[in-house]
Amino acid sequence: MERQLEKHLEETCRVPGISGALCADNNGLCLAARGCKPELAGHVASIAQQAAQLHPNSSTTPVICIESEGGSVLIKSENDVTMAMFKTPL
Amino acid sequence: IIMANVQGVDKIQDSLGYLVLTEEGAVISSGGDLQNAEALADRLTKLVYTASRIPVSPDRRETFHKISVIWEQFMYVITVSNHRIYVCKRPYNPQDPAVA
């Protein structure tokens, strides 16, 4: 059932600069992960919810970008799915 | 003397507001849209703690230097330095918005 999702994640991870991708549901369950530990699903879902709570009346959910020298993570949730993209500098 | 705590975060050019917090999330200084925003400060502190648990780079010792939380028209830019959490609210004006 999740083959199509995994196929999309695999294609995404082939893009230069993307080291990993993860898909989580609202409860922090890992739906799919590539290039990163599935255990991160809990933290990813949690941070997406915490960020949305900053402005609960907003019509859109925010994008969270966590940056460091060695790479960054982009997190966004839409409907009931939260995506995290792990990027490394080229 | 009080403004020395702020480290210039209040003077960022397009700033709509700022917060300076202790590591525990207590408000040291605030201004603009974030003036006295204690509830927001509390939620931002929790967000910072969760973000510190996400490995941002292959080097396990590395922690983040910046977090951006971006909505359609504005964003919060957060950094931690010297046991203080600095938050700046700024407009978000993408030059070329990505279209799906």
Side-chain angles (χ1 to χ4, degrees):
Chain A
M1 202 165 79
E2 57 278 348
R3 277 196 65 171
Q4 207 172 23
L5 177 61
E6 291 192 353
K7 188 170 150 235
H8 278 298
L9 283 199
E10 235 179 83
E11 271 173 33
T12 306
C13 287
R14 269 187 240 134
V15 174
I18 306 283
S19 59
L22 181 146
C23 216
D25 77 353
N26 282 342
N27 295 313
L29 169 73
C30 179
L31 300 170
R34 267 271 180 290
C36 60
K37 294 186 190 167
E39 298 91 79
L40 293 174
H43 292 106
V44 165
S46 179
I47 208 174
Q49 281 164 15
Q50 285 170 341
Q53 281 305 304
L54 296 175
H55 286 279
N57 299 324
S58 173
S59 53
T60 55
T61 50
V63 174
I64 303 115
C65 181
I66 309 170
E67 295 172 65
S68 73
E69 291 297 318
S72 60
V73 191
L74 289 163
I75 299 168
K76 164 87 166 147
S77 64
E78 197 69 46
N79 301 324
D80 292 325
V81 177
T82 303
M83 281 288 316
M85 305 281 288
F86 292 82
K87 298 176 75 175
T88 46
L90 288 166
Chain B
I1 293 165
I2 293 163
M3 291 315 274
N5 281 328
V6 178
Q7 296 292 332
V9 75
D10 56 325
K11 296 206 174 48
I12 293 168
Q13 206 165 16
D14 55 356
S15 167
L16 299 169
Y18 71 93
L19 278 168
V20 181
L21 314 173
T22 65
E23 279 178 316
E24 290 83 39
V27 180
I28 297 173
S29 185
S30 62
D33 288 1
L34 304 181
Q35 181 87 46
N36 299 322
E38 283 184 9
L40 193 75
D42 204 41
R43 288 182 223 141
L44 282 163
T45 307
K46 291 196 172 85
L47 191 144
V48 167
Y49 276 103
T50 312
S52 67
R53 306 292 300 276
I54 297 176
V56 282
S57 76
D59 181 355
R60 251 174 285 161
R61 292 160 298 172
E62 203 175 4
T63 52
F64 67 85
H65 59 59
K66 180 167 84 173
I67 303 171
S68 310
V69 188
I70 307 166
W71 281 268
E72 286 189 321
Q73 310 216 299
F74 66 93
M75 59 183 179
Y76 292 130
V77 186
I78 307 164
T79 193
V80 181
S81 173
N82 234 1
H83 308 286
R84 297 269 186 269
I85 301 170
Y86 294 88
V87 183
C88 182
K89 182 179 178 181
R90 309 174 72 175
Y92 176 60
N93 295 316
Q95 298 299 313
D96 274 304
V99 180

Short mmCIF file of all heavy atoms in Angstrom, two decimals, chain A residues 26-66:
data_model
loop_
_atom_site.label_atom_id
_atom_site.label_comp_id
_atom_site.label_asym_id
_atom_site.label_seq_id
_atom_site.Cartn_x
_atom_site.Cartn_y
_atom_site.Cartn_z
N ASN A 26 0.00 12.25 12.11
CA ASN A 26 -0.20 13.17 13.24
C ASN A 26 0.23 12.61 14.58
O ASN A 26 0.50 13.35 15.51
CB ASN A 26 -1.69 13.51 13.38
CG ASN A 26 -2.10 14.53 12.36
OD1 ASN A 26 -1.25 15.21 11.81
ND2 ASN A 26 -3.40 14.63 12.12
N ASN A 27 0.24 11.29 14.68
CA ASN A 27 0.61 10.67 15.96
C ASN A 27 2.10 10.37 16.05
O ASN A 27 2.55 9.77 17.02
CB ASN A 27 -0.18 9.37 16.15
CG ASN A 27 -1.66 9.64 16.28
OD1 ASN A 27 -2.07 10.53 17.02
ND2 ASN A 27 -2.48 8.91 15.54
N GLY A 28 2.86 10.76 15.02
CA GLY A 28 4.29 10.51 15.06
C GLY A 28 4.67 9.15 14.53
O GLY A 28 5.81 8.72 14.68
N LEU A 29 3.72 8.46 13.89
CA LEU A 29 4.03 7.17 13.29
C LEU A 29 4.79 7.41 11.99
O LEU A 29 4.38 8.25 11.19
CB LEU A 29 2.73 6.40 12.99
CG LEU A 29 2.87 5.14 12.13
CD1 LEU A 29 3.52 4.02 12.93
CD2 LEU A 29 1.52 4.70 11.59
N CYS A 30 5.86 6.67 11.77
CA CYS A 30 6.62 6.83 10.54
C CYS A 30 5.90 6.10 9.41
O CYS A 30 5.72 4.89 9.46
CB CYS A 30 8.04 6.28 10.71
SG CYS A 30 9.00 6.42 9.21
N LEU A 31 5.49 6.86 8.39
CA LEU A 31 4.81 6.25 7.24
C LEU A 31 5.83 5.74 6.24
O LEU A 31 5.64 4.73 5.58
CB LEU A 31 3.87 7.26 6.58
CG LEU A 31 2.76 7.81 7.48
CD1 LEU A 31 2.04 8.97 6.82
CD2 LEU A 31 1.77 6.71 7.84
N ALA A 32 6.93 6.49 6.11
CA ALA A 32 8.03 6.06 5.22
C ALA A 32 9.24 6.91 5.56
O ALA A 32 9.11 8.05 6.00
CB ALA A 32 7.65 6.25 3.75
N ALA A 33 10.43 6.34 5.38
CA ALA A 33 11.66 7.09 5.64
C ALA A 33 12.75 6.61 4.70
O ALA A 33 12.83 5.42 4.40
CB ALA A 33 12.12 6.91 7.08
N ARG A 34 13.55 7.54 4.22
CA ARG A 34 14.68 7.21 3.35
C ARG A 34 15.84 8.07 3.78
O ARG A 34 15.70 9.28 3.89
CB ARG A 34 14.36 7.57 1.89
CG ARG A 34 13.77 6.48 1.08
CD ARG A 34 14.86 5.64 0.41
NE ARG A 34 14.31 4.57 -0.40
CZ ARG A 34 13.68 3.50 0.06
NH1 ARG A 34 13.51 3.36 1.34
NH2 ARG A 34 13.22 2.58 -0.75
N GLY A 35 16.98 7.48 4.05
CA GLY A 35 18.17 8.25 4.37
C GLY A 35 18.16 8.88 5.76
O GLY A 35 18.99 9.72 6.07
N CYS A 36 17.19 8.48 6.58
CA CYS A 36 17.16 8.99 7.95
C CYS A 36 16.46 7.96 8.83
O CYS A 36 15.78 7.07 8.34
CB CYS A 36 16.43 10.33 8.02
SG CYS A 36 14.74 10.23 7.47
N LYS A 37 16.63 8.10 10.12
CA LYS A 37 16.06 7.09 11.03
C LYS A 37 14.56 7.28 11.17
O LYS A 37 14.09 8.38 11.44
CB LYS A 37 16.70 7.24 12.42
CG LYS A 37 18.16 6.93 12.46
CD LYS A 37 18.67 6.96 13.89
CE LYS A 37 20.19 6.90 13.90
NZ LYS A 37 20.74 7.23 15.19
N PRO A 38 13.79 6.20 11.05
CA PRO A 38 12.33 6.29 11.22
C PRO A 38 11.94 6.81 12.61
O PRO A 38 10.87 7.38 12.77
CB PRO A 38 11.85 4.85 11.03
CG PRO A 38 12.95 4.16 10.31
CD PRO A 38 14.22 4.84 10.67
N GLU A 39 12.81 6.63 13.60
CA GLU A 39 12.50 7.10 14.96
C GLU A 39 12.32 8.61 15.04
O GLU A 39 11.77 9.12 16.01
CB GLU A 39 13.63 6.74 15.94
CG GLU A 39 13.87 5.26 16.11
CD GLU A 39 14.90 4.74 15.13
OE1 GLU A 39 16.10 4.94 15.38
OE2 GLU A 39 14.47 4.14 14.12
N LEU A 40 12.82 9.33 14.03
CA LEU A 40 12.67 10.79 14.04
C LEU A 40 11.25 11.24 13.76
O LEU A 40 10.93 12.41 13.95
CB LEU A 40 13.61 11.41 13.00
CG LEU A 40 15.09 11.28 13.32
CD1 LEU A 40 15.91 11.81 12.16
CD2 LEU A 40 15.43 12.04 14.59
N ALA A 41 10.40 10.31 13.32
CA ALA A 41 9.02 10.67 12.97
C ALA A 41 8.30 11.36 14.12
O ALA A 41 7.55 12.31 13.92
CB ALA A 41 8.24 9.43 12.53
N GLY A 42 8.57 10.89 15.35
CA GLY A 42 7.92 11.48 16.52
C GLY A 42 8.30 12.94 16.70
O GLY A 42 7.46 13.81 16.89
N HIS A 43 9.63 13.22 16.61
CA HIS A 43 10.09 14.60 16.76
C HIS A 43 9.57 15.49 15.65
O HIS A 43 9.20 16.63 15.87
CB HIS A 43 11.63 14.64 16.74
CG HIS A 43 12.23 14.01 17.94
ND1 HIS A 43 12.85 12.78 17.91
CD2 HIS A 43 12.29 14.42 19.22
CE1 HIS A 43 13.27 12.47 19.12
NE2 HIS A 43 12.95 13.44 19.94
N VAL A 44 9.55 14.95 14.43
CA VAL A 44 9.11 15.72 13.26
C VAL A 44 7.64 16.09 13.40
O VAL A 44 7.26 17.26 13.22
CB VAL A 44 9.40 14.92 11.96
CG1 VAL A 44 8.64 15.49 10.79
CG2 VAL A 44 10.89 14.90 11.67
N ALA A 45 6.81 15.11 13.76
CA ALA A 45 5.37 15.39 13.92
C ALA A 45 5.16 16.38 15.06
O ALA A 45 4.35 17.31 14.96
CB ALA A 45 4.61 14.09 14.18
N SER A 46 5.91 16.21 16.13
CA SER A 46 5.79 17.08 17.30
C SER A 46 6.15 18.52 16.96
O SER A 46 5.43 19.45 17.34
CB SER A 46 6.72 16.54 18.38
OG SER A 46 6.65 17.35 19.51
N ILE A 47 7.23 18.71 16.25
CA ILE A 47 7.65 20.08 15.94
C ILE A 47 6.65 20.74 14.99
O ILE A 47 6.38 21.94 15.11
CB ILE A 47 9.11 20.13 15.42
CG1 ILE A 47 9.71 21.46 15.77
CG2 ILE A 47 9.21 19.85 13.95
CD1 ILE A 47 11.17 21.58 15.45
N ALA A 48 6.09 19.98 14.07
CA ALA A 48 5.09 20.54 13.14
C ALA A 48 3.87 21.00 13.92
O ALA A 48 3.31 22.07 13.66
CB ALA A 48 4.71 19.51 12.08
N GLN A 49 3.46 20.21 14.90
CA GLN A 49 2.29 20.58 15.71
C GLN A 49 2.59 21.78 16.60
O GLN A 49 1.76 22.67 16.76
CB GLN A 49 1.84 19.38 16.56
CG GLN A 49 1.03 18.38 15.76
CD GLN A 49 0.90 17.04 16.44
OE1 GLN A 49 1.16 16.90 17.63
NE2 GLN A 49 0.50 16.04 15.67
N GLN A 50 3.77 21.78 17.19
CA GLN A 50 4.14 22.92 18.05
C GLN A 50 4.18 24.22 17.24
O GLN A 50 3.76 25.26 17.71
CB GLN A 50 5.51 22.66 18.70
CG GLN A 50 5.45 21.65 19.81
CD GLN A 50 6.82 21.23 20.30
OE1 GLN A 50 7.83 21.39 19.62
NE2 GLN A 50 6.87 20.69 21.49
N ALA A 51 4.71 24.14 16.03
CA ALA A 51 4.78 25.34 15.18
C ALA A 51 3.39 25.80 14.78
O ALA A 51 3.09 27.00 14.80
CB ALA A 51 5.63 25.06 13.95
N ALA A 52 2.51 24.87 14.45
CA ALA A 52 1.14 25.24 14.06
C ALA A 52 0.42 25.90 15.24
O ALA A 52 -0.39 26.80 15.05
CB ALA A 52 0.38 24.02 13.57
N GLN A 53 0.73 25.46 16.46
CA GLN A 53 0.12 26.02 17.67
C GLN A 53 0.53 27.46 17.95
O GLN A 53 -0.12 28.15 18.74
CB GLN A 53 0.49 25.17 18.89
CG GLN A 53 -0.32 23.90 19.03
CD GLN A 53 -1.80 24.18 19.05
OE1 GLN A 53 -2.30 24.95 19.87
NE2 GLN A 53 -2.52 23.60 18.11
N LEU A 54 1.60 27.92 17.32
CA LEU A 54 2.03 29.31 17.53
C LEU A 54 0.97 30.27 17.01
O LEU A 54 0.73 31.33 17.57
CB LEU A 54 3.37 29.58 16.83
CG LEU A 54 4.58 28.81 17.33
CD1 LEU A 54 5.79 29.10 16.45
CD2 LEU A 54 4.91 29.16 18.77
N HIS A 55 0.32 29.86 15.91
CA HIS A 55 -0.78 30.66 15.35
C HIS A 55 -1.90 29.70 14.95
O HIS A 55 -2.06 29.38 13.76
CB HIS A 55 -0.30 31.48 14.15
CG HIS A 55 0.54 32.63 14.56
ND1 HIS A 55 0.00 33.81 15.03
CD2 HIS A 55 1.88 32.78 14.63
CE1 HIS A 55 0.98 34.64 15.35
NE2 HIS A 55 2.13 34.04 15.12
N PRO A 56 -2.69 29.25 15.93
CA PRO A 56 -3.70 28.22 15.63
C PRO A 56 -4.80 28.70 14.69
O PRO A 56 -5.46 27.88 14.06
CB PRO A 56 -4.27 27.86 17.01
CG PRO A 56 -3.76 28.86 17.96
CD PRO A 56 -2.65 29.61 17.35
N ASN A 57 -4.99 30.04 14.60
CA ASN A 57 -6.06 30.54 13.74
C ASN A 57 -5.64 30.71 12.29
O ASN A 57 -6.45 31.11 11.45
CB ASN A 57 -6.57 31.89 14.27
CG ASN A 57 -7.13 31.75 15.68
OD1 ASN A 57 -7.74 30.72 15.99
ND2 ASN A 57 -6.89 32.72 16.52
N SER A 58 -4.39 30.42 11.99
CA SER A 58 -3.92 30.59 10.62
C SER A 58 -4.57 29.56 9.70
O SER A 58 -4.80 28.42 10.09
CB SER A 58 -2.40 30.45 10.60
OG SER A 58 -1.94 30.45 9.28
N SER A 59 -4.84 29.98 8.44
CA SER A 59 -5.47 29.06 7.49
C SER A 59 -4.45 28.08 6.92
O SER A 59 -4.82 27.05 6.36
CB SER A 59 -6.12 29.84 6.35
OG SER A 59 -5.17 30.71 5.78
N THR A 60 -3.15 28.41 7.05
CA THR A 60 -2.14 27.50 6.51
C THR A 60 -1.20 27.05 7.63
O THR A 60 -1.08 27.72 8.66
CB THR A 60 -1.28 28.18 5.43
OG1 THR A 60 -0.73 29.37 6.00
CG2 THR A 60 -2.10 28.54 4.20
N THR A 61 -0.53 25.92 7.39
CA THR A 61 0.46 25.45 8.36
C THR A 61 1.82 26.03 7.96
O THR A 61 2.08 26.25 6.78
CB THR A 61 0.55 23.92 8.37
OG1 THR A 61 0.68 23.46 7.03
CG2 THR A 61 -0.69 23.29 8.99
N PRO A 62 2.68 26.27 8.93
CA PRO A 62 3.97 26.87 8.59
C PRO A 62 4.98 25.84 8.08
O PRO A 62 4.82 24.65 8.29
CB PRO A 62 4.45 27.45 9.92
CG PRO A 62 3.84 26.56 10.94
CD PRO A 62 2.53 26.09 10.39
N VAL A 63 6.01 26.36 7.42
CA VAL A 63 7.18 25.55 7.07
C VAL A 63 8.21 25.82 8.14
O VAL A 63 8.45 26.96 8.51
CB VAL A 63 7.76 25.97 5.69
CG1 VAL A 63 9.05 25.22 5.39
CG2 VAL A 63 6.74 25.75 4.59
N ILE A 64 8.81 24.77 8.67
CA ILE A 64 9.85 24.93 9.69
C ILE A 64 11.18 24.56 9.05
O ILE A 64 11.31 23.48 8.46
CB ILE A 64 9.59 24.02 10.91
CG1 ILE A 64 8.21 24.32 11.49
CG2 ILE A 64 10.66 24.21 11.98
CD1 ILE A 64 7.28 23.17 11.36
N CYS A 65 12.14 25.44 9.17
CA CYS A 65 13.46 25.18 8.60
C CYS A 65 14.48 25.23 9.72
O CYS A 65 14.62 26.25 10.39
CB CYS A 65 13.76 26.23 7.54
SG CYS A 65 15.34 25.99 6.75
N ILE A 66 15.16 24.13 9.95
CA ILE A 66 16.17 24.06 11.01
C ILE A 66 17.52 23.96 10.31
O ILE A 66 17.75 23.01 9.57
CB ILE A 66 15.96 22.83 11.91
CG1 ILE A 66 14.51 22.79 12.40
CG2 ILE A 66 16.91 22.87 13.10
CD1 ILE A 66 14.15 21.48 13.08
#
